[in-house]
Amino acid sequence: MPSSRTWASRQPPPPWPPASPPPAGRAASAAALCWSTSGLFVRGISADLMTMLFWRGLFSGSAVFALFFFIERGRSIAVLRGLGWPALGVALLSAMSMIAGISALRFTTVADAMVIYATVPFVTAALAYVVIGEKPSRSTLIGSTVALIGVGVMLWGAKMGGSLLGQFFAVLMTLGMAGFSTIMRKHRNVPMLPAMAASAWICSLACVWFAAPLSISTNDLLLCAAFGIVQNASGLALYTFASKRIPA
């Protein structure tokens, strides 16, 4: 009978390099990395909230639309004409999430906002199960329960004032993201990049009435451009690709 050492030596070596995660998983991770920079931009831009959101949405929407036209090329107009209510729903919910997310970072700590934001996958799993019958795994159910209990404890202990308002915006952002993610799963064949671009412009349109776009400094304008392209447009494009391919 061969020894354990002899038996082990006959086993095939593990593959090298190790298997990489699927493209959708890498896209989701990259989107999260892009979005995680939001705190840096929000803290670094001195312009008022509405002015920042206006310029961020303008740059972000333009960048995502440019990507869409680059990908679709000659089919772009036909694709736009074929979009229906699912794209409109995604655009409106995404715009709500954008406004709520940045407001959360202005009215509460980055840590509080990110803790609540971290529940997005779990809230999405629950919503997808209720709306489209997509059954989450046991680990997702356990994780969602623990995460939601943690958020409830944090909200219960918050004092009335800016912190509670900021946490409310963070919850609103989470619900909006879960909503448009579920719509994208339900309508996987609908190109959603135009909806994401439109959501950024809707955000700008909603904020322009309370903003002072021409009063922004050159430094803040450049930061808003980077904010819109690096953090938001890149994150939206990557998340659009991933959310239609990764189950809850």
Side-chain angles (χ1 to χ4, degrees):
M1 181 177 180
S3 65
S4 59
R5 180 177 298 179
T6 303
W7 179 84
S9 65
R10 294 176 181 174
Q11 299 307 303
W16 186 260
S20 59
R26 293 197 297 270
S29 299
L33 181 61
C34 291
W35 283 334
S36 69
T37 64
S38 58
L40 298 175
F41 286 108
V42 171
R43 303 301 181 189
I45 296 173
S46 60
D48 65 273
L49 176 62
M50 291 299 161
T51 298
M52 177 176 62
L53 284 170
F54 168 79
W55 283 112
R56 173 181 178 262
L58 200 63
F59 285 115
S60 175
S62 300
V64 176
F65 255 126
L67 176 63
F68 164 72
F69 282 112
F70 175 78
I71 293 174
E72 298 295 344
R73 300 179 188 273
R75 296 180 58 250
S76 300
I77 302 301
V79 170
L80 291 175
R81 287 176 177 172
L83 296 177
W85 75 262
L88 178 61
V90 167
L92 294 176
L93 287 171
S94 178
M96 181 188 76
S97 297
M98 289 182 195
I99 297 173
I102 302 306
S103 299
L105 294 174
R106 275 292 173 94
F107 291 109
T108 190
T109 65
V110 174
D112 276 2
M114 290 300 105
V115 166
I116 298 174
Y117 171 70
T119 66
V120 166
F122 312 124
V123 178
T124 302
L127 190 61
Y129 176 72
V130 172
V131 176
I132 62 177
E134 186 176 273
K135 294 183 178 180
S137 64
R138 179 180 298 180
S139 60
T140 300
L141 290 175
I142 294 173
S144 63
T145 302
V146 173
L148 291 177
I149 290 174
V151 171
V153 170
M154 186 171 61
L155 291 175
W156 184 266
K159 296 180 180 179
M160 292 298 293
S163 179
L164 187 60
L165 178 62
Q167 290 171 354
F168 166 76
F169 279 127
V171 170
L172 193 62
M173 169 190 66
T174 300
L175 294 175
M177 288 199 67
F180 75 70
S181 298
T182 300
I183 294 175
M184 287 195 291
R185 283 194 173 92
K186 177 68 173 178
H187 302 276
R188 296 176 185 267
N189 296 327
V190 177
M192 289 297 182
L193 278 180
M196 288 301 187
S199 71
W201 285 351
I202 291 172
C203 177
S204 293
L205 181 62
C207 295
V208 68
W209 311 105
F210 313 98
L214 300 181
S215 68
I216 193 170
S217 67
T218 302
N219 183 66
D220 277 351
L221 183 62
L222 293 175
L223 285 174
C224 285
F227 195 8
I229 297 171
V230 175
Q231 187 270 346
N232 199 44
S234 300
L236 288 175
L238 291 164
Y239 188 77
T240 300
F241 172 81
S243 64
K244 298 170 71 171
R245 294 165 175 82
I246 298 179

